Amino acid sequence: MLGPGAGCRGKGRCMALAFKFEEITARELKPQLLELDGISRESVEAHYKLYQGYVAKRNEILAALDGADLSASNQVYSEVRALKVELSFAVGGIKNHEIYFEHLGGDGGDPDGPIAALIKRDFGTIKDWHDDLKATGMAARGWAWTAYDWDEGRLFNYLGDAQNTYPVWNATPLVALDVYEHAYFLDYQTDRASYIDAFFDNLDWATVNDWVSKYEIKTK
C-alpha cells in the first residue's frame, strides 16, 4: 500500500518512498491484451499475475536488503548474496514482461517505419529476421530479444534462459519474446512454434517504432 506523499510517475506506475528504495506497483494491463489473436484472455491474465508477483518480490527483496548484515557478505552463501541474486531475477522479470506486454495488442504483420529499416539493414530481409528470432525463441529456455547493440551499432537477436541470464550490456531490447511455458501452455501445450507465430501476429509495430524514436537509434 502506498504511504503519504505517494504519486504516479511514468505510464501507469505509482511509487512511494519505502526505506532506501521506491516501492513500485505493476503497470496496468492494456485492454487490447485481453483480445489477442491466438493468445487467450485466460493465458494473458495468468501471465499478468506472474508479472505482478515479480513486482511484489522486487519490493520485498529491497526491503530485506535494507536491514541485511553487509559485514557478513560472502560469495559462497550469505544473506546479501541470496537477496542480490534473486533481486536480479525479479527485476529481470519485471523489465522483460513490461516490454512484452507493452508491444502486444497490435495487428502484427511485417514491420514498417524505422524498425523495418533497421531490420532490413541488419538482417537483409524481414523474413531473415523473423526466421532468426523464431529459431532463437525455439532454442531459448526463457526469452529471445531483438536488441540494438550500441557498441556495434546494429540489431541482433539474443537468447536468454532465465529472467537474469545472458543479458548483454549496452544493448536495448526492442522486441521481447517470452518462451517460458507459462506464456503459452494454456493455449498450445508444448507447441511452442505455434505460440511464437501468434506472438508475431499480435505485435504492435507502432509501439516499437516509438521506442526506436525515443532512443534516437539511427537507421542509416
mmCIF file of all heavy atoms in Angstrom, residues 163-198:
data_model
loop_
_atom_site.group_PDB
_atom_site.id
_atom_site.type_symbol
_atom_site.label_atom_id
_atom_site.label_comp_id
_atom_site.label_asym_id
_atom_site.label_seq_id
_atom_site.Cartn_x
_atom_site.Cartn_y
_atom_site.Cartn_z
ATOM 1 N N GLN A 163 15.156 -15.066 -16.399
ATOM 2 C CA GLN A 163 14.952 -13.622 -16.336
ATOM 3 C C GLN A 163 16.272 -12.868 -16.196
ATOM 4 O O GLN A 163 16.381 -11.714 -16.610
ATOM 5 C CB GLN A 163 14.038 -13.263 -15.147
ATOM 6 C CG GLN A 163 12.723 -14.004 -15.115
ATOM 7 C CD GLN A 163 11.783 -13.654 -16.262
ATOM 8 O OE1 GLN A 163 12.057 -12.786 -17.085
ATOM 9 N NE2 GLN A 163 10.670 -14.347 -16.316
ATOM 10 N N ASN A 164 17.260 -13.512 -15.596
ATOM 11 C CA ASN A 164 18.516 -12.823 -15.285
ATOM 12 C C ASN A 164 19.738 -13.480 -15.912
ATOM 13 O O ASN A 164 20.848 -13.312 -15.427
ATOM 14 C CB ASN A 164 18.700 -12.731 -13.771
ATOM 15 C CG ASN A 164 18.678 -14.090 -13.089
ATOM 16 O OD1 ASN A 164 18.306 -15.090 -13.697
ATOM 17 N ND2 ASN A 164 19.073 -14.132 -11.819
ATOM 18 N N THR A 165 19.544 -14.251 -16.985
ATOM 19 C CA THR A 165 20.718 -14.853 -17.626
ATOM 20 C C THR A 165 20.878 -14.356 -19.055
ATOM 21 O O THR A 165 19.901 -14.210 -19.782
ATOM 22 C CB THR A 165 20.636 -16.391 -17.654
ATOM 23 O OG1 THR A 165 19.406 -16.795 -18.265
ATOM 24 C CG2 THR A 165 20.710 -16.959 -16.252
ATOM 25 N N TYR A 166 22.123 -14.100 -19.403
ATOM 26 C CA TYR A 166 22.578 -13.684 -20.728
ATOM 27 C C TYR A 166 22.125 -12.298 -21.174
ATOM 28 O O TYR A 166 22.074 -12.039 -22.382
ATOM 29 C CB TYR A 166 22.183 -14.718 -21.807
ATOM 30 C CG TYR A 166 22.438 -16.137 -21.421
ATOM 31 C CD1 TYR A 166 21.432 -17.091 -21.501
ATOM 32 C CD2 TYR A 166 23.695 -16.534 -20.943
ATOM 33 C CE1 TYR A 166 21.644 -18.404 -21.132
ATOM 34 C CE2 TYR A 166 23.916 -17.840 -20.553
ATOM 35 C CZ TYR A 166 22.896 -18.776 -20.652
ATOM 36 O OH TYR A 166 23.110 -20.071 -20.276
ATOM 37 N N PRO A 167 21.803 -11.389 -20.290
ATOM 38 C CA PRO A 167 21.592 -10.024 -20.783
ATOM 39 C C PRO A 167 22.914 -9.464 -21.294
ATOM 40 O O PRO A 167 23.980 -9.800 -20.771
ATOM 41 C CB PRO A 167 21.121 -9.260 -19.538
ATOM 42 C CG PRO A 167 21.696 -10.015 -18.396
ATOM 43 C CD PRO A 167 21.735 -11.449 -18.822
ATOM 44 N N VAL A 168 22.847 -8.664 -22.337
ATOM 45 C CA VAL A 168 24.056 -8.117 -22.957
ATOM 46 C C VAL A 168 24.163 -6.647 -22.591
ATOM 47 O O VAL A 168 23.238 -5.865 -22.816
ATOM 48 C CB VAL A 168 23.995 -8.300 -24.487
ATOM 49 C CG1 VAL A 168 25.208 -7.657 -25.147
ATOM 50 C CG2 VAL A 168 23.911 -9.777 -24.843
ATOM 51 N N TRP A 169 25.286 -6.271 -22.000
ATOM 52 C CA TRP A 169 25.477 -4.885 -21.597
ATOM 53 C C TRP A 169 25.414 -3.949 -22.798
ATOM 54 O O TRP A 169 25.901 -4.248 -23.879
ATOM 55 C CB TRP A 169 26.821 -4.705 -20.887
ATOM 56 C CG TRP A 169 26.934 -5.476 -19.617
ATOM 57 C CD1 TRP A 169 27.810 -6.493 -19.351
ATOM 58 C CD2 TRP A 169 26.145 -5.309 -18.422
ATOM 59 N NE1 TRP A 169 27.617 -6.962 -18.072
ATOM 60 C CE2 TRP A 169 26.616 -6.266 -17.480
ATOM 61 C CE3 TRP A 169 25.101 -4.453 -18.062
ATOM 62 C CZ2 TRP A 169 26.058 -6.374 -16.198
ATOM 63 C CZ3 TRP A 169 24.548 -4.562 -16.797
ATOM 64 C CH2 TRP A 169 25.034 -5.507 -15.881
ATOM 65 N N ASN A 170 24.829 -2.791 -22.592
ATOM 66 C CA ASN A 170 24.760 -1.723 -23.592
ATOM 67 C C ASN A 170 23.988 -2.148 -24.840
ATOM 68 O O ASN A 170 24.326 -1.752 -25.952
ATOM 69 C CB ASN A 170 26.160 -1.231 -23.981
ATOM 70 C CG ASN A 170 26.148 0.229 -24.381
ATOM 71 O OD1 ASN A 170 25.281 0.992 -23.969
ATOM 72 N ND2 ASN A 170 27.115 0.627 -25.204
ATOM 73 N N ALA A 171 22.958 -2.967 -24.637
ATOM 74 C CA ALA A 171 22.056 -3.356 -25.718
ATOM 75 C C ALA A 171 20.621 -3.116 -25.244
ATOM 76 O O ALA A 171 20.281 -3.469 -24.121
ATOM 77 C CB ALA A 171 22.256 -4.808 -26.117
ATOM 78 N N THR A 172 19.812 -2.503 -26.087
ATOM 79 C CA THR A 172 18.445 -2.122 -25.723
ATOM 80 C C THR A 172 17.438 -3.029 -26.415
ATOM 81 O O THR A 172 17.354 -3.023 -27.645
ATOM 82 C CB THR A 172 18.173 -0.664 -26.123
ATOM 83 O OG1 THR A 172 19.103 0.195 -25.442
ATOM 84 C CG2 THR A 172 16.755 -0.251 -25.775
ATOM 85 N N PRO A 173 16.652 -3.806 -25.664
ATOM 86 C CA PRO A 173 15.645 -4.677 -26.290
ATOM 87 C C PRO A 173 14.537 -3.862 -26.944
ATOM 88 O O PRO A 173 14.015 -2.911 -26.359
ATOM 89 C CB PRO A 173 15.089 -5.493 -25.109
ATOM 90 C CG PRO A 173 16.081 -5.336 -24.007
ATOM 91 C CD PRO A 173 16.700 -3.993 -24.204
ATOM 92 N N LEU A 174 14.162 -4.253 -28.151
ATOM 93 C CA LEU A 174 13.055 -3.626 -28.871
ATOM 94 C C LEU A 174 11.917 -4.611 -29.113
ATOM 95 O O LEU A 174 10.769 -4.201 -29.294
ATOM 96 C CB LEU A 174 13.551 -3.065 -30.209
ATOM 97 C CG LEU A 174 14.594 -1.953 -30.112
ATOM 98 C CD1 LEU A 174 15.165 -1.631 -31.491
ATOM 99 C CD2 LEU A 174 13.999 -0.698 -29.479
ATOM 100 N N VAL A 175 12.246 -5.889 -29.139
ATOM 101 C CA VAL A 175 11.245 -6.962 -29.209
ATOM 102 C C VAL A 175 11.616 -7.976 -28.144
ATOM 103 O O VAL A 175 12.776 -8.391 -28.061
ATOM 104 C CB VAL A 175 11.208 -7.634 -30.599
ATOM 105 C CG1 VAL A 175 10.204 -8.789 -30.608
ATOM 106 C CG2 VAL A 175 10.868 -6.621 -31.688
ATOM 107 N N ALA A 176 10.640 -8.358 -27.307
ATOM 108 C CA ALA A 176 10.896 -9.318 -26.230
ATOM 109 C C ALA A 176 9.900 -10.464 -26.353
ATOM 110 O O ALA A 176 8.702 -10.280 -26.156
ATOM 111 C CB ALA A 176 10.761 -8.645 -24.861
ATOM 112 N N LEU A 177 10.404 -11.637 -26.698
ATOM 113 C CA LEU A 177 9.589 -12.826 -26.905
ATOM 114 C C LEU A 177 9.745 -13.757 -25.698
ATOM 115 O O LEU A 177 10.815 -14.310 -25.464
ATOM 116 C CB LEU A 177 10.029 -13.536 -28.190
ATOM 117 C CG LEU A 177 9.513 -14.948 -28.445
ATOM 118 C CD1 LEU A 177 7.985 -14.969 -28.481
ATOM 119 C CD2 LEU A 177 10.104 -15.491 -29.747
ATOM 120 N N ASP A 178 8.667 -13.903 -24.929
ATOM 121 C CA ASP A 178 8.666 -14.784 -23.763
ATOM 122 C C ASP A 178 8.381 -16.206 -24.231
ATOM 123 O O ASP A 178 7.328 -16.477 -24.818
ATOM 124 C CB ASP A 178 7.581 -14.326 -22.783
ATOM 125 C CG ASP A 178 7.639 -15.039 -21.444
ATOM 126 O OD1 ASP A 178 8.328 -16.074 -21.334
ATOM 127 O OD2 ASP A 178 6.991 -14.566 -20.497
ATOM 128 N N VAL A 179 9.310 -17.124 -23.996
ATOM 129 C CA VAL A 179 9.094 -18.516 -24.388
ATOM 130 C C VAL A 179 9.103 -19.466 -23.185
ATOM 131 O O VAL A 179 9.204 -20.672 -23.344
ATOM 132 C CB VAL A 179 10.112 -18.988 -25.453
ATOM 133 C CG1 VAL A 179 9.879 -18.270 -26.775
ATOM 134 C CG2 VAL A 179 11.549 -18.794 -24.990
ATOM 135 N N TYR A 180 8.998 -18.909 -21.976
ATOM 136 C CA TYR A 180 8.704 -19.772 -20.839
ATOM 137 C C TYR A 180 7.361 -20.466 -21.098
ATOM 138 O O TYR A 180 6.451 -19.883 -21.701
ATOM 139 C CB TYR A 180 8.581 -18.942 -19.558
ATOM 140 C CG TYR A 180 9.859 -18.678 -18.809
ATOM 141 C CD1 TYR A 180 10.406 -17.393 -18.775
ATOM 142 C CD2 TYR A 180 10.494 -19.689 -18.100
ATOM 143 C CE1 TYR A 180 11.558 -17.131 -18.052
ATOM 144 C CE2 TYR A 180 11.648 -19.436 -17.379
ATOM 145 C CZ TYR A 180 12.173 -18.162 -17.353
ATOM 146 O OH TYR A 180 13.316 -17.903 -16.638
ATOM 147 N N GLU A 181 7.203 -21.688 -20.588
ATOM 148 C CA GLU A 181 5.956 -22.427 -20.812
ATOM 149 C C GLU A 181 4.724 -21.675 -20.308
ATOM 150 O O GLU A 181 3.634 -21.814 -20.867
ATOM 151 C CB GLU A 181 6.032 -23.804 -20.149
ATOM 152 C CG GLU A 181 6.869 -24.822 -20.895
ATOM 153 C CD GLU A 181 8.366 -24.668 -20.658
ATOM 154 O OE1 GLU A 181 8.756 -23.756 -19.881
ATOM 155 O OE2 GLU A 181 9.145 -25.442 -21.231
ATOM 156 N N HIS A 182 4.908 -20.852 -19.266
ATOM 157 C CA HIS A 182 3.734 -20.144 -18.739
ATOM 158 C C HIS A 182 3.108 -19.207 -19.766
ATOM 159 O O HIS A 182 1.946 -18.833 -19.649
ATOM 160 C CB HIS A 182 4.093 -19.370 -17.461
ATOM 161 C CG HIS A 182 5.094 -18.264 -17.672
ATOM 162 N ND1 HIS A 182 6.351 -18.283 -17.115
ATOM 163 C CD2 HIS A 182 5.016 -17.106 -18.374
ATOM 164 C CE1 HIS A 182 6.993 -17.186 -17.456
ATOM 165 N NE2 HIS A 182 6.207 -16.454 -18.222
ATOM 166 N N ALA A 183 3.882 -18.801 -20.764
ATOM 167 C CA ALA A 183 3.375 -17.854 -21.761
ATOM 168 C C ALA A 183 2.428 -18.512 -22.753
ATOM 169 O O ALA A 183 1.627 -17.813 -23.391
ATOM 170 C CB ALA A 183 4.537 -17.202 -22.509
ATOM 171 N N TYR A 184 2.513 -19.831 -22.900
ATOM 172 C CA TYR A 184 1.744 -20.461 -23.978
ATOM 173 C C TYR A 184 1.093 -21.801 -23.643
ATOM 174 O O TYR A 184 0.281 -22.311 -24.418
ATOM 175 C CB TYR A 184 2.650 -20.665 -25.201
ATOM 176 C CG TYR A 184 3.846 -21.544 -24.980
ATOM 177 C CD1 TYR A 184 3.774 -22.926 -25.108
ATOM 178 C CD2 TYR A 184 5.092 -21.001 -24.663
ATOM 179 C CE1 TYR A 184 4.883 -23.734 -24.923
ATOM 180 C CE2 TYR A 184 6.201 -21.790 -24.471
ATOM 181 C CZ TYR A 184 6.105 -23.169 -24.603
ATOM 182 O OH TYR A 184 7.203 -23.958 -24.403
ATOM 183 N N PHE A 185 1.381 -22.380 -22.474
ATOM 184 C CA PHE A 185 0.941 -23.760 -22.238
ATOM 185 C C PHE A 185 -0.581 -23.895 -22.198
ATOM 186 O O PHE A 185 -1.137 -24.890 -22.673
ATOM 187 C CB PHE A 185 1.553 -24.310 -20.948
ATOM 188 C CG PHE A 185 1.503 -25.808 -20.877
ATOM 189 C CD1 PHE A 185 2.462 -26.576 -21.513
ATOM 190 C CD2 PHE A 185 0.477 -26.448 -20.196
ATOM 191 C CE1 PHE A 185 2.414 -27.961 -21.463
ATOM 192 C CE2 PHE A 185 0.414 -27.837 -20.140
ATOM 193 C CZ PHE A 185 1.386 -28.593 -20.781
ATOM 194 N N LEU A 186 -1.290 -22.894 -21.658
ATOM 195 C CA LEU A 186 -2.754 -22.974 -21.601
ATOM 196 C C LEU A 186 -3.360 -23.044 -23.000
ATOM 197 O O LEU A 186 -4.396 -23.694 -23.209
ATOM 198 C CB LEU A 186 -3.323 -21.767 -20.859
ATOM 199 C CG LEU A 186 -3.214 -21.766 -19.339
ATOM 200 C CD1 LEU A 186 -3.766 -20.455 -18.778
ATOM 201 C CD2 LEU A 186 -3.953 -22.952 -18.732
ATOM 202 N N ASP A 187 -2.738 -22.387 -23.957
ATOM 203 C CA ASP A 187 -3.280 -22.330 -25.314
ATOM 204 C C ASP A 187 -2.691 -23.389 -26.246
ATOM 205 O O ASP A 187 -3.393 -23.905 -27.116
ATOM 206 C CB ASP A 187 -3.019 -20.952 -25.927
ATOM 207 C CG ASP A 187 -3.744 -19.842 -25.194
ATOM 208 O OD1 ASP A 187 -4.860 -20.097 -24.698
ATOM 209 O OD2 ASP A 187 -3.184 -18.736 -25.105
ATOM 210 N N TYR A 188 -1.405 -23.696 -26.071
ATOM 211 C CA TYR A 188 -0.715 -24.524 -27.059
ATOM 212 C C TYR A 188 -0.042 -25.773 -26.488
ATOM 213 O O TYR A 188 0.559 -26.526 -27.244
ATOM 214 C CB TYR A 188 0.343 -23.679 -27.794
ATOM 215 C CG TYR A 188 -0.258 -22.571 -28.613
ATOM 216 C CD1 TYR A 188 -0.321 -21.269 -28.123
ATOM 217 C CD2 TYR A 188 -0.792 -22.818 -29.875
ATOM 218 C CE1 TYR A 188 -0.882 -20.246 -28.870
ATOM 219 C CE2 TYR A 188 -1.360 -21.803 -30.626
ATOM 220 C CZ TYR A 188 -1.402 -20.517 -30.121
ATOM 221 O OH TYR A 188 -1.969 -19.521 -30.870
ATOM 222 N N GLN A 189 -0.153 -25.983 -25.192
ATOM 223 C CA GLN A 189 0.565 -27.081 -24.541
ATOM 224 C C GLN A 189 2.055 -27.019 -24.924
ATOM 225 O O GLN A 189 2.684 -26.033 -24.630
ATOM 226 C CB GLN A 189 -0.073 -28.436 -24.886
ATOM 227 C CG GLN A 189 -1.394 -28.677 -24.172
ATOM 228 C CD GLN A 189 -2.541 -27.932 -24.796
ATOM 229 O OE1 GLN A 189 -2.773 -28.056 -26.000
ATOM 230 N NE2 GLN A 189 -3.276 -27.164 -24.026
ATOM 231 N N THR A 190 2.580 -28.012 -25.604
ATOM 232 C CA THR A 190 4.009 -27.994 -25.923
ATOM 233 C C THR A 190 4.321 -27.450 -27.319
ATOM 234 O O THR A 190 5.479 -27.476 -27.749
ATOM 235 C CB THR A 190 4.600 -29.418 -25.809
ATOM 236 O OG1 THR A 190 3.894 -30.300 -26.699
ATOM 237 C CG2 THR A 190 4.473 -29.938 -24.381
ATOM 238 N N ASP A 191 3.323 -26.948 -28.009
ATOM 239 C CA ASP A 191 3.522 -26.442 -29.366
ATOM 240 C C ASP A 191 4.026 -24.999 -29.334
ATOM 241 O O ASP A 191 3.288 -24.055 -29.636
ATOM 242 C CB ASP A 191 2.216 -26.546 -30.154
ATOM 243 C CG ASP A 191 2.377 -26.164 -31.626
ATOM 244 O OD1 ASP A 191 3.528 -25.908 -32.059
ATOM 245 O OD2 ASP A 191 1.353 -26.114 -32.331
ATOM 246 N N ARG A 192 5.275 -24.850 -28.969
ATOM 247 C CA ARG A 192 5.851 -23.510 -28.848
ATOM 248 C C ARG A 192 5.881 -22.772 -30.176
ATOM 249 O O ARG A 192 5.678 -21.556 -30.230
ATOM 250 C CB ARG A 192 7.270 -23.600 -28.278
ATOM 251 C CG ARG A 192 7.928 -22.254 -28.092
ATOM 252 C CD ARG A 192 9.368 -22.350 -27.673
ATOM 253 N NE ARG A 192 9.506 -22.806 -26.291
ATOM 254 C CZ ARG A 192 10.673 -22.819 -25.639
ATOM 255 N NH1 ARG A 192 11.773 -22.399 -26.259
ATOM 256 N NH2 ARG A 192 10.742 -23.249 -24.408
ATOM 257 N N ALA A 193 6.126 -23.488 -31.260
ATOM 258 C CA ALA A 193 6.237 -22.835 -32.567
ATOM 259 C C ALA A 193 4.959 -22.096 -32.940
ATOM 260 O O ALA A 193 5.000 -20.972 -33.465
ATOM 261 C CB ALA A 193 6.598 -23.861 -33.640
ATOM 262 N N SER A 194 3.796 -22.698 -32.669
ATOM 263 C CA SER A 194 2.530 -22.040 -32.995
ATOM 264 C C SER A 194 2.313 -20.814 -32.119
ATOM 265 O O SER A 194 1.779 -19.789 -32.577
ATOM 266 C CB SER A 194 1.363 -23.014 -32.825
ATOM 267 O OG SER A 194 1.422 -24.034 -33.803
ATOM 268 N N TYR A 195 2.731 -20.892 -30.861
ATOM 269 C CA TYR A 195 2.643 -19.715 -29.983
ATOM 270 C C TYR A 195 3.513 -18.574 -30.515
ATOM 271 O O TYR A 195 3.088 -17.414 -30.525
ATOM 272 C CB TYR A 195 3.072 -20.079 -28.561
ATOM 273 C CG TYR A 195 3.569 -18.904 -27.765
ATOM 274 C CD1 TYR A 195 2.688 -17.932 -27.282
ATOM 275 C CD2 TYR A 195 4.933 -18.741 -27.513
ATOM 276 C CE1 TYR A 195 3.164 -16.829 -26.568
ATOM 277 C CE2 TYR A 195 5.411 -17.658 -26.801
ATOM 278 C CZ TYR A 195 4.522 -16.703 -26.333
ATOM 279 O OH TYR A 195 4.989 -15.616 -25.634
ATOM 280 N N ILE A 196 4.713 -18.891 -30.957
ATOM 281 C CA ILE A 196 5.596 -17.846 -31.487
ATOM 282 C C ILE A 196 4.961 -17.190 -32.709
ATOM 283 O O ILE A 196 5.028 -15.963 -32.882
ATOM 284 C CB ILE A 196 6.991 -18.404 -31.802
ATOM 285 C CG1 ILE A 196 7.692 -18.839 -30.504
ATOM 286 C CG2 ILE A 196 7.844 -17.372 -32.542
ATOM 287 C CD1 ILE A 196 9.041 -19.499 -30.706
ATOM 288 N N ASP A 197 4.324 -17.985 -33.556
ATOM 289 C CA ASP A 197 3.620 -17.409 -34.703
ATOM 290 C C ASP A 197 2.524 -16.451 -34.233
ATOM 291 O O ASP A 197 2.340 -15.368 -34.814
ATOM 292 C CB ASP A 197 3.001 -18.525 -35.558
ATOM 293 C CG ASP A 197 4.048 -19.349 -36.288
ATOM 294 O OD1 ASP A 197 5.182 -18.854 -36.479
ATOM 295 O OD2 ASP A 197 3.736 -20.496 -36.668
ATOM 296 N N ALA A 198 1.793 -16.837 -33.179
ATOM 297 C CA ALA A 198 0.745 -15.965 -32.637
ATOM 298 C C ALA A 198 1.345 -14.690 -32.056
ATOM 299 O O ALA A 198 0.767 -13.598 -32.191
ATOM 300 C CB ALA A 198 -0.056 -16.706 -31.572
#
